[in-house]
Amino acid sequence: MRFAAIMARTNGLLQSAPLTDARSPLRSGASYASMSMLSRLAGALKGTLRTRAREPDAAPTVSPEAERLVVLAAEADGRGDHGAAEALCRQAIAIAPRSIAGWMNLGLALQFQGRLDEAVGAFGHALQIAPGSAPVLYNLARAHHAAARYGAAIGALERAVGAQPEFIDALILLADARTESGDEPGALDALRAALELEPAHRGALGNCAILLAARGELDELLALYRRAVAASPDDVSARTGLAITLSDLGRADEALEVAQRTLAAHPASHSARSIYLFTQLHSERLSMAHIAAEHRRVGSLFDSEAPARAQPFRNLRDPAKPLRVGYVSGDLRAHSVAVFLEPVLGHHDRTEVIPIAYSCVSRPDEFTRRMRPLFETWRDVTHLSDQALAQVIEDDGIDVLVDLSGHTSVSRLGVFARRAAPVQATWLGYINSSGMTAMDYRLSDAVLDPPGEGDAHGTEAVVRLPQTYWCYRPPVRIAVADANQAAEGEIRFGSFNRYPKLSPATVRLWGTLLRELPQSRLTVVTVPEGVSQRTLLERFAAEGVDAARIELAPRLAQHDYYAAFRSVDVCLDPTPYSGATTTCDALWMGVPVVTMKGVTPISRSAASILAGAGLQAWIADTAEDYVRIALELAGRGRADAARRLGLRERFSASPVMNEPVYTRDVEKAYRAMWTQWCSG
């Protein structure tokens, strides 16, 4: 057996099953970055490895016995018996010290065991035998990368790519190492090179999407996804990525059309299902009845694919016991879900609720590290299938399992379809029904889901928190201040919402307001540079608003984002996809917010927050009311620091910022759900 045959056997053992498409294309692919050492190791060794490396030139001949031992070692690694694999490789090397496959497999066995320095040494021996070998350099780089030695990894990977420019996996790992080293432009160069070789490569496209989206370079991202779909029309990851990018560019109808076609072609795809439903919430053309019907239809696909439970739950039916509450989320990071969840975790009464995290975060950040200690147990479960994760949750004895994602980018609804816990509820991540009968409850409030009306549209029982759905803790400490200087009589409106929320109806509404007050200006933050900004200005021009009155800005750094509120007198909420975090941020910075209630729960997010803060006067029922309220607020003139501080103090004293009381309300809701199960 030659070197190539042995290495093919080894690579076959390293290949994992295809990544579940229950995750967003923006999170999928060969992602190794920012994991704990063990997660990084698992990702490096069991990730998506479709290596195209050529065998080294003039590979040394080894004895048949050494070849046999290396094959046995590779099989042992495949079974997870890495200690046995190590021993077999050492036997092979003792017989044939120049066996490249022996040293390579030894390095892999050591790496699987977390012995990274020894693995580097083993790969170094292989490199001495085959200098310049791309596969050897690649594996050496993976060991360095797993040990967070990114400079050494970059050096080895650049040599590997130099020797074999078409080595896609080396390009992807090079991009990741450069990202970790702070060289995002270099990372993008590597990913672009990979996509030139294979436009629909899932790992390269997914990681490129992460970087381009974070930088707001959506025009290039759209072009990449269009090229990927053209190259591989049946690739569900490319098609769902195209739908997400169109949505992020504010092209809701196009996004919905692509998502609908993708689901029709791939009804078994979790991501196609969820992205189709998510894009519906951005459309102003769809009725609540239609949205509800489609959620039930698609939700039934999740329900029907999971086998019925064969055994009853082992949980003790004790209504008074401390509840083991599992939180499943891919957003335990710098994300609005984490902003609203963190205060609750900090105030959970551990005699009532024992919180356990099932984190699907592929790229942890500082917020992730801050949240970990707030849980009794933290499990990184990104690599687990839905079936495996459901089993882990059941083995953990979870009483109440809470979905914090719904039909968003890192959905794990397949776990809930498998009925992983006696009580299952959805909260925070998706302000709408899941459409699944396996989801027992949906937390809400009386504004998001008015009694009677809200109950008719979903599959879950609606549990309305008594005061508000929201619990806000300001992420930063920043003082309010006088409004920035402006021309005499000038009033500045503002929006800090995500660009996809700026629907045609929103632009028409704001255009009417700006025409009514000719001396006013509008600041819109988070509009991607390039085509998006030009398109938005054209849309306002069609409403009779000159571009000179519109100030646009891309996504801002955190401090600059909060400082920008000082230049705004009144914040305008979009429709039909209302703002939540941005509404709280504005009120915290002392800036009033005008909103208009719509027909869907998501269209009432800002209304729910304002009602919880006792600011119902700023909630409109019609477009005419919206304009009237905004004009009345503008008529008060520019606000000084004292007036802004007064609004901050009022908001701070409201139920939306009363963390202990809000947490007790959530715990009472969990207890009521659990008691109902116990009585059944």
Side-chain angles (χ1 to χ4, degrees), residues 182-199:
D183 181 14
E184 285 193 0
L188 283 168
D189 287 342
L191 292 169
R192 290 178 182 121
L195 291 171
E196 285 295 324
L197 296 167
E198 188 175 330

Side-chain angles (χ1 to χ4, degrees), residues 6 62-71 91-93 95-96 99:
I6 297 175
V62 296
S63 74
E65 177 61 12
E67 291 179 345
R68 186 184 72 82
L69 290 168
V70 170
V71 171
Q91 291 177 46
I93 291 166
I95 296 170
S99 167

Side-chain angles (χ1 to χ4, degrees), residues 505 509-510 512 573 575 594-599 616-630:
L509 185 60
W510 294 354
T512 300
D573 189 50
T575 183
V594 183
T595 188
M596 180 174 65
K597 288 189 296 185
V599 297
Q616 291 90 339
W618 299 341
I619 303 172
D621 292 318
T622 66
E624 292 74 19
D625 283 343
Y626 186 103
V627 172
R628 175 185 54 80
I629 295 168

Side-chain angles (χ1 to χ4, degrees), residues 5 18 72 165 180 197 199 221 288 308 315 323 328 380 440 470 482 489 491 527 552 567 590 672:
L72 291 175
E180 290 288 3
L197 296 167
L221 182 55
M288 184 65 234
N315 304 61
L323 297 179
V328 182
D380 288 306
D440 303 306
W470 313 94
D482 292 342
I491 292 295
V527 184
L552 304 179
S567 68

Side-chain angles (χ1 to χ4, degrees), residues 37-38 41 45 82-87 90 106-123 143-144 146-147 149:
M37 191 185 86
L38 290 178
L41 183 59
L45 295 179
H82 308 306
E86 177 190 351
R90 293 193 186 280
L106 175 60
L108 294 171
L110 292 166
Q111 193 171 348
F112 272 123
Q113 297 175 73
R115 294 155 62 186
L116 301 178
D117 289 340
E118 294 174 75
V120 166
F123 293 131
H144 281 309
R149 292 190 288 262

